[in-house]
Amino acid sequence: MALVGATGTGKTFFARRLLAHVPRLIVIDPKSTLRDYVPRPYDKRARKRLENGEPFRARFAPAPGEDWRYEQIFEDIYWAGNVVVYIDEVYAVSPPGRQPGPYLTALYTRGRELGIGVVAATQRPAWVPLFILSEANSYVMFRLMLDKDKRRMAEFMGPAVLGDIPDPYGFWLYQTSWASQNKPAAYYRSVV
Ligand SMILES: Nc1ncnc2c1ncn2[C@@H]1O[C@H](COP(=O)(O)OP(=O)(O)OP(=O)(O)O)[C@@H](O)[C@H]1O
Ligand SMILES: [Mg+2]
């Protein structure tokens, strides 16, 4: 799932609700704002539970200079399977202009068969690697400021999403499977 929208439009709020009951969850928290949501760090113990197929919820917020660990965690996820990973800001994990890591790519292209779900949020869909959008089954688009970002999303969600979003936390939802039914994106005023 791709969650896109300008800052403060409700992506993280939506993800917190959506993932509240996921039994095996890793939160990638580049901005370190989700401690209250998932207090447990992704440490040795969480890693063991991931490997053993046990329930766990853990969060990785990098210390300064620790960004290299993202790929290592994606590698753990890839080999363990049956887990959901939530990436609270994709371009921290895959900075613009840098080649995305092989395991992040693998989660998107091969994760489905391995029971791996990826939910990724971003403020700037035009900046993230294309597979973040093209491999998604579901798109949630909150308010975007830039036309470039809106147009990028319209390529996946259809032209309906080019219009303005009147509600502060309103969003468009689109599922890839709707394409074959010619069903357009659906508008929701808010999660609550
Ligand atoms: N559906 C909603 N109903 C009521 N309040 C909401 C809703 N969605 C978001 N908010 C409020 O707006 C604030 C900002 O939302 P949120 O943190 O989810 O934005 P964001 O899109 O993740 O922004 P950023 O890109 O900066 O991380 C939240 O802390 C919450 O208080
Ligand atoms: Mg957020």
Side-chain angles (χ1 to χ4, degrees):
M1 173 179 274
L3 302 175
V4 310
T7 185
T9 53
K11 301 180 295 294
T12 302
F13 185 95
F14 183 97
R16 288 168 71 119
R17 293 286 174 103
L18 179 77
L19 304 170
H21 303 291
V22 167
R24 280 164 59 78
L25 176 73
I26 296 184
V27 172
I28 303 289
D29 184 14
K31 290 180 275 191
S32 201
T33 54
L34 293 167
R35 179 192 279 265
D36 67 313
Y37 183 59
V38 175
R40 281 194 182 286
Y42 182 76
D43 55 10
K44 252 191 211 153
R45 186 158 163 255
R47 190 173 180 220
K48 265 262 136 18
R49 296 189 75 86
L50 170 66
E51 282 173 4
N52 294 341
E54 291 163 328
F56 75 98
R57 289 166 70 87
R59 184 180 63 100
F60 175 65
E66 228 191 349
D67 308 34
W68 56 273
R69 280 190 63 200
Y70 291 133
E71 259 301 295
Q72 207 179 50
I73 295 170
F74 297 144
E75 182 175 352
D76 293 348
I77 291 169
Y78 180 80
W79 293 113
N82 291 316
V83 61
V84 174
V85 54
Y86 171 56
I87 305 171
D88 194 50
E89 179 49 77
V90 181
Y91 70 72
V93 166
S94 183
R98 205 195 291 170
Q99 184 78 9
Y103 281 98
L104 175 64
T105 310
L107 295 187
Y108 272 93
T109 55
R110 293 188 239 161
R112 213 166 266 117
E113 303 93 89
L114 305 169
I116 297 166
V118 187
V119 178
T122 186
Q123 295 180 16
R124 294 298 320 272
W127 279 357
V128 302
L130 207 57
F131 66 76
I132 303 287
L133 301 171
S134 63
E135 294 286 334
N137 294 115
S138 308
Y139 303 90
V140 179
M141 178 184 142
F142 298 87
R143 275 184 172 172
L144 285 168
M145 300 302 154
L146 303 181
D147 277 342
K148 197 175 171 194
D149 288 321
K150 290 187 193 173
R151 284 199 306 270
R152 163 60 63 88
M153 293 317 298
E155 289 174 38
F156 297 97
M157 303 177 74
V161 306
L162 291 169
D164 283 336
I165 291 179
D167 310 285
Y169 309 114
F171 61 90
W172 291 100
L173 171 72
Y174 187 72
Q175 314 260 39
T176 307
S177 63
W178 294 356
S180 60
Q181 305 155 34
N182 269 332
K183 191 177 159 185
Y187 182 71
Y188 291 83
R189 288 174 59 194
S190 151
V191 189
V192 289

